[in-house]
Amino acid sequence: MQIIKTVSEMRAFINGVRAQNKTVGLVPTMGYFHQGHLSLMENAKRQCDVVVTSIYVNPLQFGPKEDLASYPRDLQRDTEMAKTVGVDAIFTPEDKEMYPGGFDTTVVMGETLTNKLCGSRRPGHFTGVATVVIKLFNIAQPDRAYFGQKDAQQVLVINRMVQDLNINVEVVSVPIVRENDGLAMSSRNIYLTPAQRRVAPILYQSLLQAKEEVEKGQRDATFIYSIVADKIKSEPLAEVDYVELYSYPDLKSIGTLKEKALLAVAVKFGGARLIDNIILEA
Ligand code: AMP
């Protein structure tokens, strides 16, 4: 497995792959791997000849009060884990390689998909995500790119950008990988104290409770929303950032559940902010 730090080395690597008529799968990440990341890489490995994983904690997608400085990093450990699933190259550029001499071009997504959920709580976040992802697409020129359904809004934003800008890449969404107790795996779970970690599965439990009600016939959006909000609010260590329900995949407001809907939550445990979601089907 190769560790690549510069855009020019990455281009040379990709040119070599292309010369052999091989397909490329890209897995963009911020590192500090867990099984969720590995699942993306395994999917890529099954569908593509060569798999490139990028590890880049992109400053552009962090707000001024967010955890850019403290975000967990461990390249050695990530390298070992990526090797176990057969990743061919890790692209891990420094900021000066990604944004040399500052930066004056950004990809700004329209509001339809970004004025809600994490987009409204993290101003500029999806501009940062879209910009870095299009840069990674241009650098690695993948046939397919893999994203986790854990960041459901991100998948929709990337899909929209790919469609709107005619980017020649297939976006593949991979299901959420969870711990045994249901907590969605996340690099940020490391921030949780033991007491917070014990109660953190409440995110998924509340989503499952809502899903059960829908399966029993409940269709009222306010009712479904309040099942989740009430359950999370009953936990003193948890602070609800948002609970939201939209039609899926177009993210329109709904009063009554019809066909598919995205039920998504963001919850703070002290300084740690965790997200989770589930797709409901009427
Ligand atoms: P991150 O390093 O947190 O930016 O995540 C990199 C990619 O892994 C994103 O596409 C995430 O959606 C995906 N991902 C993160 N956690 C999970 C998970 N628990 N299950 C599936 N995919 C995940």
Side-chain angles (χ1 to χ4, degrees):
M1 189 177 68
Q2 294 202 32
I3 309 286
I4 297 174
K5 290 195 165 286
T6 66
V7 173
S8 59
E9 281 172 276
M10 193 66 228
R11 288 246 159 85
F13 177 84
I14 293 296
N15 287 343
V17 173
R18 291 283 172 218
Q20 299 171 58
N21 273 327
K22 290 184 173 169
T23 56
V24 177
L26 174 68
V27 181
T29 81
M30 299 202 299
Y32 210 71
F33 292 158
H34 49 67
Q35 282 302 323
H37 294 114
L38 296 191
S39 167
L40 266 56
M41 296 171 208
E42 284 163 352
N43 275 275
K45 197 72 197 170
R46 275 195 289 276
Q47 297 179 338
C48 307
D49 300 322
V50 171
V51 174
V52 176
T53 295
S54 62
I55 299 179
Y56 182 55
V57 183
N58 172 36
L60 217 57
Q61 71 190 65
F62 285 77
K65 295 197 181 118
E66 293 183 357
D67 57 344
L68 174 64
S70 60
Y71 197 83
R73 294 158 166 93
D74 191 341
L75 184 60
Q76 178 91 41
R77 175 174 166 275
D78 287 350
T79 306
E80 295 306 319
M81 288 174 79
K83 264 187 206 158
T84 65
V85 289
V87 166
D88 299 278
I90 289 182
F91 177 53
T92 174
E94 291 187 7
D95 290 342
K96 62 179 186 316
E97 185 69 16
M98 286 301 267
Y99 301 113
F103 200 67
D104 209 16
T105 305
T106 44
V107 179
V108 180
M109 300 300 301
E111 296 224 314
T112 321
L113 294 175
T114 61
N115 65 0
K116 49 190 66 113
L117 302 163
C118 289
S120 65
R121 296 338 187 271
R122 305 182 67 188
H125 173 67
F126 285 113
T127 296
V129 169
T131 302
V132 80
V133 167
I134 202 167
K135 281 171 70 72
L136 292 169
F137 285 177
N138 285 331
I139 294 165
Q141 296 164 38
D143 297 274
R144 299 188 186 86
Y146 295 79
F147 295 88
Q149 186 61 20
K150 164 143 180 295
D151 299 273
Q153 189 177 19
Q154 172 170 276
V155 177
L156 296 175
V157 164
I158 301 296
N159 261 315
R160 184 76 217 203
M161 176 180 80
V162 163
Q163 183 189 318
D164 289 354
L165 302 183
N166 301 94
I167 302 172
N168 195 14
V169 61
E170 182 189 337
V171 175
V172 182
S173 164
V174 177
I176 301 175
V177 178
R178 299 179 178 282
E179 302 285 358
N180 288 336
D181 59 7
L183 176 65
M185 290 194 184
S186 166
S187 308
R188 290 188 165 101
N189 290 348
I190 188 114
Y191 297 146
L192 299 172
T193 64
Q196 290 166 341
R197 174 63 190 85
R198 269 193 297 281
V199 297
I202 198 164
L203 274 75
Y204 188 48
Q205 287 160 6
S206 68
L207 296 173
L208 283 182
Q209 211 168 314
K211 183 167 179 252
E212 259 174 46
E213 291 299 322
V214 171
E215 281 165 0
K216 282 193 242 159
Q218 183 57 250
R219 295 289 179 268
D220 182 63
T222 312
F223 188 89
I224 296 165
Y225 158 89
S226 50
I227 293 171
V228 179
D230 291 350
K231 183 156 175 100
I232 298 173
K233 281 179 192 156
S234 74
E235 173 47 62
L237 294 177
E239 182 199 337
V240 174
D241 188 20
Y242 66 70
V243 177
E244 293 179 27
L245 178 67
Y246 296 103
S247 61
Y248 184 82
D250 50 357
L251 300 191
K252 296 263 164 56
S253 296
I254 47 172
T256 305
L257 197 69
K258 295 185 198 100
E259 298 175 4
K260 282 189 181 184
L262 173 70
L263 180 58
V265 294
V267 176
K268 288 181 183 163
F269 294 92
R273 180 179 176 279
L274 306 184
I275 58 171
D276 202 349
N277 70 80
I278 198 167
I279 304 292
L280 302 173
E281 298 206 38

